[in-house]
């Protein structure tokens, strides 16, 4: 006899709660990037080589915009500040709008607008409308507007053809593309993607990187052993990863590789600042958690640490040496009061009063140690349950989204293990916050699924 949850899974591939996906998730990160392609091509700094002032304005505005988009996708991120941006847009189309526009004779116009939206779809539409760009292609991303038959076919898992099919038809085998792209990955460095892009998108980016390696092998010699992240902006992240913007051209990537020696020098200075802050605060470790903090470049994070360190030096706080060793803290520039996270690390505002900071850390030190110990225990339990669930249901892969906590994953796996789910055999199962099927066929279910 099937349980109600089994029945849900059987219907999932046909319906997947289409309205729930669009209303709760709006656009995925990859969809947002695709939807903004006309905008990126209209404002990309590389097209403003003969106009250095406008190029600089667009570079700075793109950095702020990408940071805004990143924050929209941060799990639990709720602190949004209105962000005013100015872009010079190519191929002007005089069109009335509610934004401030000024036209020049150089083939581009200045557009200023303020972002205060809290989801990707609204943000993408605001950007395109502000720049008088078409939004018709965005509407096509909305699966609710497609007939049920089309939605059903789009959600089916891709067919895996035998090798003889490609030999007979002459079509290109996507697995060969993936294998070739993976050779680039393994011979170069560690490679990550910031979003759950499909195999085709990943292969495209790796092919681009592979061509650059072949054409300019001298510029990537400093990359080996480093993590490369394909994301929305180029540079080096606060975590020390090399970021390659997916909308940037090879020329921009080459510049990043050429600047790596300077980035490494700045990274050493940053590590020195973290050690200095640790010494001033009794041995507490300063860390940066990508999943929980806003996306920062290495330069931005260095400025944050430098300002905070100078503030501590001026206050002359006194902590007993090594009294807080084993504890952790992160710095936040958009908070005003310190807090203790359930994972055991302190969240310290950069503007926090030194006396308040000292009192809070000392008062919460024991609780922080207990939280850290509980976190380690939960991570061990989570890993064991993932292994047990993968084996029981013969899954090819079981994983979770970064926004799903260890406690939520543990609860989900325990309840899954109570079920009989033969339809999961051979599948990729992602624990998320909603029902959906990803481009590559991965099945997503909410961690708090209901029987």
């Amino acid at each position: 006899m099937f349980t109600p949850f089994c029945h849900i899974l059987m219907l999932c591939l046909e319906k997947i709660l289409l309205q729930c996906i669009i209303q709760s998730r709006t656009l995925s990160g990859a969809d947002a990037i695709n939807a903004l392609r006309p905008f990126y091509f209209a404002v990309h700094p590389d097209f403003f080589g003969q106009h250095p002032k406008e190029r600089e304005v667009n570079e700075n505005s793109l950095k702020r915009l990408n940071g805004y988009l990143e924050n929209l996708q941060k799990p639990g991120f709720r602190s949004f500040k209105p962000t005013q941006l100015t872009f010079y847009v190519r191929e002007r189309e005089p069109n009335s709008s509610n934004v401030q526009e000024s036209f020049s004779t150089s083939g581009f116009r200045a557009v200023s607008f303020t972002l205060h939206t809290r989801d990707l779809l609204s943000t993408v539409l605001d950007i395109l409308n502000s720049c008088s760009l078409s939004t018709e292609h965005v509407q096509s991303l909305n699966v609710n507007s497609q007939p049920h038959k089309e939605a059903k076919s789009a959600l089916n898992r891709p067919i895996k053809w035998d090798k003889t099919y490609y030999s007979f038809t002459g079509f290109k085998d996507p697995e060969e593309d993936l294998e070739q792209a993976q050779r680039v990955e393994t011979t170069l460095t560690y490679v990550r993607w910031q979003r759950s892009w499909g195999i085709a998108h990943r292969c495209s980016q790796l092919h681009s990187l592979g061509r650059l390696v072949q054409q300019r092998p001298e510029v990537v010699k400093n990359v080996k052993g480093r993590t490369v992240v394909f994301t929305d902006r180029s540079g080096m992240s606060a975590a020390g990863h090399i970021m390659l913007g997916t909308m940037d051209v090879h020329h921009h990537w080459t510049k990043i590789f050429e600047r790596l020696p300077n980035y490494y020098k700045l990274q050493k200075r940053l590590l020195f600042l973290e050690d200095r802050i640790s010494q001033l605060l009794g041995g507490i470790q300063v860390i940066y958690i990508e999943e929980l903090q806003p996306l920062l470049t290495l330069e931005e994070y260095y400025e944050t640490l430098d300002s905070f360190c100078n503030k501590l030096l001026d206050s002359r706080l006194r902590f007993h040496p090594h009294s807080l060793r084993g504890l952790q803290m992160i710095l936040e520039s958009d908070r005003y009061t310190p807090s203790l996270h359930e994972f055991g690390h302190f969240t310290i505002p950069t503007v926090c009063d030194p006396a308040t900071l000292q009192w809070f850390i000392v008062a919460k030190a024991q609780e922080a140690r207990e939280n850290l110990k509980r976190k380690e225990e939960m991570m061990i339990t989570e890993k064991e349950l993932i292994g047990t669930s993968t084996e029981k249901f013969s899954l090819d892969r079981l994983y979770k989204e970064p926004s799903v906590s260890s406690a939520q994953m543990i609860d989900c796996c325990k309840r899954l293990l109570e079920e009989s789910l033969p339809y999961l055999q051979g599948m990729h199962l992602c624990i998320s916050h909603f029902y959906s099927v990803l481009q590559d066929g991965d099945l997503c279910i909410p961690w708090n699924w209901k029987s």
Side-chain angles (χ1 to χ4, degrees):
M1 177 181 293
F2 292 131
T3 66
F5 181 64
C6 291
H7 184 64
I8 290 175
L9 282 177
M10 293 173 63
L11 297 177
C12 186
L13 294 177
E14 295 185 359
K15 295 186 177 179
I16 303 297
L17 303 178
L18 292 178
Q19 292 182 350
C20 180
I21 296 173
I22 296 303
Q23 293 173 0
S24 64
R25 192 185 181 196
T26 61
L27 288 183
S28 68
D31 286 339
I33 292 298
N34 289 332
L36 286 174
R37 281 183 182 272
F39 165 75
Y40 284 125
F41 282 119
V43 303
H44 201 285
D46 285 343
F47 294 114
F48 290 80
Q50 297 180 352
H51 304 280
K53 176 186 173 182
E54 289 77 9
R55 177 190 179 97
E56 183 178 2
V57 169
N58 281 10
E59 282 182 346
N60 293 332
S61 294
L62 277 175
K63 288 179 182 178
R64 298 178 60 203
L65 172 60
N66 289 333
Y68 188 93
L69 294 174
E70 291 298 336
N71 290 337
L72 285 177
Q73 299 168 79
K74 290 284 183 181
F77 193 83
R78 294 293 180 268
S79 178
F80 292 95
K81 298 179 182 179
T83 301
Q84 185 171 4
L85 301 172
T86 298
F87 287 99
Y88 287 93
V89 183
R90 297 186 303 126
E91 299 179 357
R92 69 181 181 92
E93 296 179 5
N95 204 354
S96 59
S97 66
N98 294 327
V99 297
Q100 304 170 4
E101 293 187 0
S102 60
F103 293 89
S104 71
T105 59
S106 303
F108 50 77
R109 57 193 165 96
V111 178
S112 297
F113 53 91
T114 300
L115 293 178
H116 47 75
T117 49
R118 292 176 176 269
D119 63 89
L120 283 176
L121 179 59
S122 300
T123 304
V124 167
L125 292 175
D126 275 5
I127 294 170
L128 294 175
N129 287 326
S130 297
C131 296
S132 303
L133 297 172
S134 173
T135 60
E136 292 182 2
H137 62 291
V138 181
Q139 305 305 323
S140 67
L141 296 174
N142 188 331
V143 294
N144 275 332
S145 64
Q146 304 296 322
H148 175 72
K149 184 175 181 180
E150 292 182 10
K152 178 178 177 180
S153 63
L155 293 172
N156 285 338
R157 194 175 181 85
I159 298 174
K160 185 175 181 179
W161 297 99
D162 187 82
K163 297 290 183 182
T164 55
Y165 168 79
Y166 299 102
S167 301
F168 180 77
T169 61
F171 292 142
K172 204 168 187 179
D173 186 350
E175 288 190 357
E176 289 183 2
D177 275 354
L178 181 59
E179 291 170 1
Q180 181 181 353
Q182 286 174 336
R183 284 196 292 271
V184 174
E185 177 179 349
T186 55
T187 57
L188 181 63
T189 183
Y190 301 102
V191 178
R192 284 173 35 198
W193 282 265
Q194 193 167 11
R195 298 194 179 88
S196 299
W197 282 313
I199 289 179
H201 195 129
R202 296 188 180 199
C203 287
S204 174
Q205 299 302 329
L206 286 173
H207 278 310
S208 296
L209 185 56
R211 287 195 299 271
L212 180 58
V213 172
Q214 293 174 353
Q215 296 168 4
R216 299 289 303 277
E218 73 280 0
V219 300
V220 294
K221 61 182 180 180
N222 293 322
V223 184
K224 289 187 177 180
R226 292 278 176 164
T227 297
V228 170
V229 182
F230 288 103
T231 180
D232 299 330
R233 57 198 301 194
S234 293
M236 181 168 282
S237 71
H241 303 324
I242 300 168
M243 301 186 297
L244 297 181
T246 56
M247 296 304 298
D248 290 336
V249 293
H250 284 183
H251 177 66
H252 202 169
W253 287 5
T254 302
K255 284 185 176 181
I256 297 300
F257 291 140
E258 290 173 345
R259 295 175 189 161
L260 285 180
N262 292 330
Y263 279 125
Y264 296 154
K265 291 178 182 178
L266 181 60
Q267 192 176 26
K268 289 181 180 178
R269 293 165 56 192
L270 185 145
L271 293 175
F272 172 80
L273 272 179
E274 289 182 338
D275 290 341
R276 183 65 178 136
I277 293 173
S278 176
Q279 292 171 6
L280 294 171
L281 295 180
I284 191 171
Q285 181 186 10
V286 183
I287 60 174
Y288 178 82
I289 305 177
E290 289 182 279
E291 294 80 8
L292 299 179
Q293 294 182 253
L295 179 66
L296 296 176
T297 63
L298 194 67
E299 298 92 334
E300 292 168 343
Y301 190 46
Y302 179 86
E303 291 178 3
T304 300
L305 290 174
D306 187 49
S307 174
F308 185 72
C309 185
N310 290 332
K311 188 173 184 178
L312 291 178
L313 290 171
D314 292 338
S315 67
R316 298 184 179 180
L317 288 179
R318 295 187 180 276
F319 283 88
H320 189 279
H322 311 305
S323 60
L324 300 178
R325 178 175 288 182
L327 298 182
Q328 299 173 335
M329 61 169 278
I330 64 174
L331 283 174
E332 291 275 1
S333 58
D334 60 344
R335 293 176 179 266
Y336 298 95
T337 57
S339 62
L340 177 61
H341 197 275
E342 61 177 333
F343 291 163
H345 63 264
F346 290 96
T347 302
I348 306 299
T350 55
V351 297
C352 185
D353 173 68
T356 302
L357 169 64
Q358 183 175 27
W359 173 86
F360 184 81
I361 291 180
V362 172
K364 296 287 185 177
Q366 183 57 37
E367 183 180 350
R369 295 186 190 279
E370 294 172 357
N371 287 1
L372 282 171
K373 184 178 180 181
R374 190 181 308 115
K375 173 190 173 184
E376 293 176 357
E377 294 172 349
M378 290 179 64
M379 290 180 67
I380 294 174
T381 302
E382 178 186 11
K383 184 177 180 180
E384 291 174 349
L385 286 173
I386 289 176
T388 303
S389 301
T390 301
E391 182 178 356
K392 175 179 178 179
F393 302 120
S394 300
L395 292 165
D396 273 1
R397 185 187 180 199
L398 174 60
Y399 64 103
K400 68 174 184 177
E401 289 194 341
S403 56
V404 176
S405 68
S406 294
Q408 292 170 337
M409 186 66 171
I410 290 172
D411 176 72
C412 178
C413 288
K414 284 182 176 179
R415 293 192 295 124
L416 281 175
L417 289 170
E418 297 174 356
E419 303 286 340
S420 176
L421 307 171
Y423 300 100
L424 290 180
Q425 183 175 354
M427 297 190 68
H428 291 191
L429 183 63
C430 173
I431 307 304
S432 177
H433 296 278
F434 45 80
Y435 291 99
S436 69
V437 175
L438 301 182
Q439 181 181 358
D440 294 329
D442 292 16
L443 176 66
C444 296
I445 63 171
W447 68 270
N448 57 344
W449 55 268
K450 299 183 184 300
S451 297

